[in-house]
Amino acid sequence: PPEAKHNYLDWFDLEEDLIIILPNQLRVVPFNINVPADAVPGGYYAVIFWGNEPSPAVGDIAVSIRGKVGTLIFLRVKGEAAEIGEVLEFRTEPIKNIFWQLPINFVTRFSNNGNVHLKPTGTIELDGWFGENKIFPVNQDERFIIPQTVRRFQVVWGQEPIGNFWENFIVGFKQEFSGLTFGKYTATLKLNFGLDTNQELTDEIIFWILPYHLFSVLLIVIIFLGIFIKINKRIKKLKNKSSVPLPEKDNNEQ
């Protein structure tokens, strides 16, 4: 309960609470956690903060700078725990059904509704019309989600534009052409979580890709091909016309 949170601080015992660190020096400060036998099973979370002593005031100058860093503690007391997770949202960003180019952002929002921290990991699998199959990892850094909080995971398919128009056009065309990125796609999310019991959550979205880079190049090729065929027919027609034999003169003609 919120009113009893300060009692948990008594579990922590720092061997040193004041240390001196010289420039380019590293110090290791052990700490102990004494969990009472009657502790309620579940997740407990704390931060050990270290802050530097402010510099003493010199003369009339009363301004000082203080820095502070913290070490996160994820503690789990064994026993019956509630490992409850939920996929609140799985969507593209922005939300739409038709995309004209890559990249496409996939957003997953996962809610931890239990009383212990969770570490959901999994994949997003893409299946396309032409047998294209891609798999992207979700939460590859294995980040925790503490109880009663929501975490957002983002996966990007494709390369973000970083150059001018023509550079981005070439990159976009290569991406679309190499994978025949066109048509209807199904994105399937699979997440696994839980230490006591392995649980799996799935979700699915369907969208279309109509790649304008690929279509533009294809249209240009068709236009040039049509012009070439038309010119070729005209040349053949002129050649056939020039190869027609002239009529022979009549010997009786005076």
Side-chain angles (χ1 to χ4, degrees), residues 67-231:
K68 187 165 68 172
V69 295
T71 300
L72 296 174
I73 307 298
F74 290 84
L75 176 66
R76 175 169 176 170
V77 176
K78 291 185 177 180
E80 186 176 352
E83 296 180 325
I84 305 172
E86 178 186 5
V87 175
L88 295 180
E89 192 175 30
F90 176 51
R91 59 177 175 83
T92 60
E93 188 177 77
I95 301 176
K96 54 184 181 180
N97 297 323
I98 298 177
F99 292 87
W100 302 101
Q101 62 178 333
L102 299 177
I104 297 177
N105 296 321
F106 298 97
V107 173
T108 303
R109 293 178 64 245
F110 187 94
S111 174
N112 182 353
N113 303 326
N115 64 353
V116 293
H117 50 278
L118 300 177
K119 184 175 61 178
T121 56
T123 59
I124 295 176
E125 185 172 347
L126 292 176
D127 293 303
W129 260 5
F130 298 98
E132 184 183 10
N133 181 268
K134 291 183 177 294
I135 298 177
F136 301 99
V138 178
N139 194 20
Q140 195 171 13
D141 298 331
E142 298 186 347
R143 297 177 179 177
F144 286 114
I145 306 177
I146 63 175
Q148 308 306 316
T149 61
V150 177
R151 188 151 210 164
R152 183 180 188 268
F153 302 105
Q154 181 170 314
V155 173
V156 180
W157 175 26
Q159 182 177 335
E160 295 283 354
I162 55 175
N164 58 39
F165 173 80
W166 291 112
E167 290 174 342
N168 293 332
F169 188 92
I170 293 172
V171 171
F173 172 74
K174 287 181 178 179
Q175 289 184 120
E176 296 162 5
F177 181 75
S178 62
L180 290 178
T181 306
F182 166 73
K184 182 180 178 182
Y185 280 82
T186 300
T188 304
L189 172 70
K190 296 180 181 179
L191 287 180
N192 294 278
F193 68 93
L195 185 62
D196 296 336
T197 58
N198 185 30
Q199 303 180 50
E200 182 179 76
L201 296 175
T202 62
D203 204 344
E204 183 180 278
I205 54 176
I206 297 175
F207 58 94
W208 288 74
I209 299 181
L210 304 177
Y212 90 89
H213 302 96
L214 192 60
F215 285 174
S216 299
V217 173
L218 183 61
L219 180 61
I220 292 173
V221 171
I222 292 175
I223 291 174
F224 273 97
L225 186 61
I227 294 173
F228 174 78
I229 293 174
K230 190 172 181 179
I231 293 175

